Amino acid sequence: MAETDEWSANATESLNISLIAPATGATKTIATFNPKFTYSIFGDDERIFGYKDLKINLRYRTFDMRPNVQISYGKKFQSVGETEAADVDATLKEHLPLVAFQPAREFNTSSQSQPADWTPPGSLHSSFDGPDGTYEVWKGSLADPAVRQIVTRVEIMVPMFIEGGSYVSRDPENEEDPWKVLEDANRWTTFFLYRKQTSPETSDKPSYTFVGYSTVYKFFCFRPPTPPSSEWDLPKEEFNLLEELPCRSRLSQFLILPPFQGKGIGARLYKTIFEHYYNNPQTLELTVEDPNEAFDDMRDLADITFLRALPEFSEVKINTGIAIPSPPSGTVPKDLVDQELLRTLRQKTKIVERQFKRLIEIQTMSQLPESVRVGFGDEKKPTPTKQDKHQYRLWQLFVKQRLYRQNADVLGQLDQSERSEKLNEALVSVELEYARILDWHARWVKNMAASSAEDSGSKRKSVDDSEEQGAAKKVRVESA
C-alpha cells in the first residue's frame, strides 16, 4: 500500500492551467491556476498512478484558446504484470482536440503574436467597461465551425470547475466519432466573453483575452393558439422553425475563468444573456440547468436587481390588511400577495417559476420592518409593534405555503406536530439565506455604483451598433 501511494499523484495538484499571451517576439504567462475537480477525467479518487513528481501543464493561447499539453515527471513506474502507469496522454486525448498535442515549440512560436485582423468568432453583441479594459460579448451558433472550435478547446474546463458539468459540443458516448458535429448544433447559442485591451507595442491593435463563456439551448414548446382554434397546421407561407417557434431557452454552461472571478464580470455576462432573451419574443422562459450554489448567488443578485428596475415590481407587497385566524385554522389566507400581479410579472420577465417565487420572497422580506427582519448587523433593533409582528407573521405564512407545496410528498407523511417543526426549521434556514443575499446585494449595489462613478465617462455600446460592427467578420478556423 505504501509503495502504491508513493507512485500515486494527486491529479488536481499535478494539473496546472496557464493563460499564455503574445509579447514582443516572445510569450508571457498572465495567469496560472489549478482545477477544482478532475474526477471526470482521472476517476473518482482524482489520483494518477505510476509517476513521481508528475506535472501536467495545460497552456492556452489567450485569444483563440488554442491548447498545448506538456507532461513531465521525475520517474515512471515500470510495469509489473498487469500493473502499469496510467497513460495520461491517451486520457487527455479523450477530452482535448489533437491540436493540443502538437510540439511545444510550434505552440510557442505561433503564440508570439495575435493576427492583426483577428476577432472572436460570431458577432459582437455588446460591450461594457471594466477596470482593466473593455469587455466584449460575442454571440454565435455552435453550428459555426469557428465558434465550435473554441468551445471544444475550452470545454474540458467545464467539469474541472463546475461539479457535474458536462460537454455540449461533442458526444463522448459516440464511440465511432465523439467529435462529430451534433445534429442539433444550430439550437445552441454561445456567448463568449473577451477582454479587449490596447497593445502596448501598437496602440491601434487591440489584444483579446478569453475570459469565459456560456451556452444556451432552445427547447421548442407547445403554446395553444389564442383564441383557441381547431386548426393546428403550420403556416402555409415560408416559416423559419428555428427562429420563430416559441421555445424555452436553457442556460446550460456558464464559466468564468478563475483569474477573472470575484470582479462582478460573471454577473455582467449573465445580465447580458438574460436581457437578450428577455427581449427575444420567441423565448417564453429562460431556465438554468442544474445551477450550483455560486451561480445561484450570482443569479439572485442579477435577477433581483433587474426586477427592482421594473416599475410594477414596486407594487409587490404583503397584504397587511389580511387578518390571521385565531386560533390558527391551519389554512393560509388567500392573496397574501396579489396573485394576478405575480402572474403578469412572471410572464413578462420569463423567469422560471421556482426562481421567481424565491425572488418574491426575498423582495417581500426586504420590506419587513427592521424590528422583525433577520439580519447580520450588531445594531440593536427597535421594539416591534403589533403591526410589525403582524406583517412578519403574514410573510412567514407566505413562505411556508411555498415550502409545504414544494415538499408536500414528504411532509404529508408526518404528523401535524412534526410537520410544523420541520416547516419552522426550513423557514429559519430560508430567512438566514435571504438575509445573506440581501446583505450581499446591498454591498454589491454600492460597489457597482462606485464603479459606475469611476467610469462615468464611458458608456456601454448599443447592441445594434455592436452587431453591425461584428456581423460581417469571418474568423479563421484551424484544423482543430
Side-chain angles (χ1 to χ4, degrees):
M1 181 66 180
E3 185 177 353
T4 301
D5 291 342
E6 183 183 358
W7 290 98
S8 179
N10 184 307
T12 304
E13 295 175 357
S14 300
L15 178 56
N16 290 292
I17 304 170
S18 301
L19 300 179
I20 309 299
T24 305
T27 61
K28 60 181 178 181
T29 302
I30 64 171
T32 300
F33 47 94
N34 297 102
K36 285 186 177 180
F37 315 106
T38 52
Y39 60 83
S40 65
I41 300 171
F42 296 108
D44 292 342
D45 58 354
E46 299 187 322
R47 310 289 300 184
I48 302 173
F49 175 75
Y51 302 91
K52 289 184 179 180
D53 300 323
L54 176 65
K55 290 182 174 60
I56 306 170
N57 293 321
L58 174 56
R59 300 185 297 163
Y60 279 104
R61 196 160 63 188
T62 50
F63 58 94
D64 64 357
M65 294 305 281
R66 174 179 172 172
N68 180 256
V69 174
Q70 292 177 299
I71 302 171
S72 62
Y73 47 84
K75 289 184 179 181
K76 184 175 181 179
F77 181 79
Q78 297 300 313
S79 301
V80 177
E82 295 183 356
T83 304
E84 58 184 7
D87 190 339
V88 179
D89 200 65
T91 298
L92 290 174
K93 283 181 178 177
E94 297 176 8
H95 301 270
L96 286 165
L98 290 178
V99 71
F101 303 91
Q102 292 185 359
R105 181 172 59 256
E106 197 277 332
F107 174 84
N108 294 337
T109 302
S110 65
S111 300
Q112 292 178 6
S113 64
Q114 174 188 296
D117 59 348
W118 192 91
T119 60
S123 59
L124 181 57
H125 176 69
S126 60
S127 64
F128 58 88
D129 291 308
D132 53 354
T134 299
Y135 286 82
E136 295 184 344
V137 179
W138 290 72
K139 173 177 163 286
S141 168
L142 195 59
D144 180 343
V147 170
R148 183 174 180 270
Q149 181 183 74
I150 290 188
V151 174
T152 57
R153 290 174 171 182
V154 303
E155 205 170 32
I156 188 175
M157 288 191 282
V158 169
M160 285 183 178
F161 293 100
I162 304 173
E163 191 162 11
S166 58
Y167 301 142
V168 303
S169 69
R170 58 189 186 274
D171 182 8
E173 295 183 3
N174 184 343
E175 296 181 0
E176 294 183 3
D177 185 9
W179 298 90
K180 181 181 178 181
V181 178
L182 301 178
E183 293 181 358
D184 60 350
N186 59 352
R187 289 197 189 187
W188 287 97
T189 300
T190 302
F191 295 86
F192 292 123
L193 180 61
Y194 273 86
R195 182 181 65 187
K196 185 173 75 171
Q197 295 174 306
T198 302
S199 171
E201 292 81 13
T202 54
S203 58
D204 60 337
K205 177 184 173 183
S207 63
Y208 284 96
T209 300
F210 181 89
V211 173
Y213 81 111
S214 182
T215 54
V216 181
Y217 186 78
K218 285 183 179 179
F219 282 99
F220 296 119
C221 60
F222 172 74
R223 181 170 60 177
T226 304
S229 171
S230 59
E231 297 182 6
W232 302 101
D233 293 334
L234 290 173
K236 300 294 188 297
E237 65 272 12
E238 186 176 342
F239 188 73
N240 188 330
L241 294 176
L242 190 63
E243 298 299 330
E244 297 184 48
L245 278 181
C247 69
R248 286 185 175 87
S249 297
R250 183 187 68 185
L251 195 154
S252 179
Q253 298 171 317
F254 191 95
L255 176 68
I256 300 296
L257 299 186
F260 302 97
Q261 293 177 7
K263 302 178 181 180
I265 295 171
R268 298 290 291 270
L269 176 59
Y270 172 80
K271 178 176 181 287
T272 298
I273 296 171
F274 180 90
E275 289 179 349
H276 170 74
Y277 288 102
Y278 172 73
N279 293 313
N280 177 12
Q282 182 191 12
T283 297
L284 303 182
E285 190 174 69
L286 177 62
T287 66
V288 178
E289 179 183 356
D290 299 330
N292 58 22
E293 290 184 10
F295 183 89
D296 270 337
D297 283 345
M298 181 201 67
R299 181 189 184 190
D300 287 339
L301 293 180
D303 285 352
I304 198 70
T305 302
F306 170 79
L307 287 172
R308 286 181 172 179
L310 300 177
E312 56 266 52
F313 191 64
S314 62
E315 301 173 19
V316 175
K317 297 176 181 178
I318 293 290
N319 183 0
T320 55
I322 293 178
I324 300 176
S326 182
S329 63
T331 302
V332 177
K334 293 182 178 180
D335 293 327
L336 287 170
V337 178
D338 187 336
Q339 294 301 306
E340 185 59 35
L341 173 62
L342 296 187
R343 278 190 291 271
T344 302
L345 262 175
R346 197 181 86 78
Q347 185 176 16
K348 176 181 178 179
T349 59
K350 305 179 183 181
I351 299 174
V352 68
E353 184 176 11
R354 184 166 180 171
Q355 170 71 356
F356 184 77
K357 287 180 177 179
R358 291 181 69 257
L359 295 169
I360 296 301
E361 292 170 4
I362 292 172
Q363 173 68 1
T364 49
M365 177 176 170
S366 72
Q367 298 166 347
L368 292 175
E370 185 182 350
S371 60
V372 293
R373 187 174 68 242
V374 173
F376 294 110
D378 296 328
E379 300 84 2
K380 185 178 179 180
K381 292 186 176 183
T383 302
T385 65
K386 184 178 180 180
Q387 290 79 7
D388 293 349
K389 293 178 180 179
H390 179 67
Q391 183 176 349
Y392 181 47
R393 178 61 179 149
L394 289 173
W395 181 83
Q396 288 179 313
L397 290 174
F398 179 60
V399 177
K400 281 185 176 181
Q401 183 181 53
R402 193 261 306 172
L403 291 172
Y404 182 82
R405 289 175 177 173
Q406 191 172 301
N407 302 280
D409 291 343
V410 175
L411 294 173
Q413 300 176 29
L414 307 177
D415 59 46
Q416 185 173 350
S417 61
E418 191 175 2
R419 182 164 61 240
S420 178
E421 181 182 350
K422 292 295 182 184
L423 274 175
N424 286 330
E425 289 176 359
L427 178 63
V428 170
S429 177
V430 166
E431 282 190 90
L432 290 173
E433 179 189 2
Y434 290 173
R436 178 182 62 82
I437 292 170
L438 287 169
D439 180 67
W440 191 9
H441 182 265
R443 289 185 283 112
W444 185 67
V445 169
K446 184 178 180 180
N447 290 337
M448 290 295 288
S451 298
S452 297
E454 292 176 3
D455 301 328
S456 58
S458 59
K459 294 183 179 180
R460 177 180 172 178
K461 296 179 182 178
S462 70
V463 172
D464 292 339
D465 290 344
S466 299
E467 291 194 343
E468 184 177 344
Q469 292 175 37
K473 295 190 176 181
K474 296 292 183 181
V475 179
R476 179 170 58 89
V477 181
E478 295 185 10
S479 58

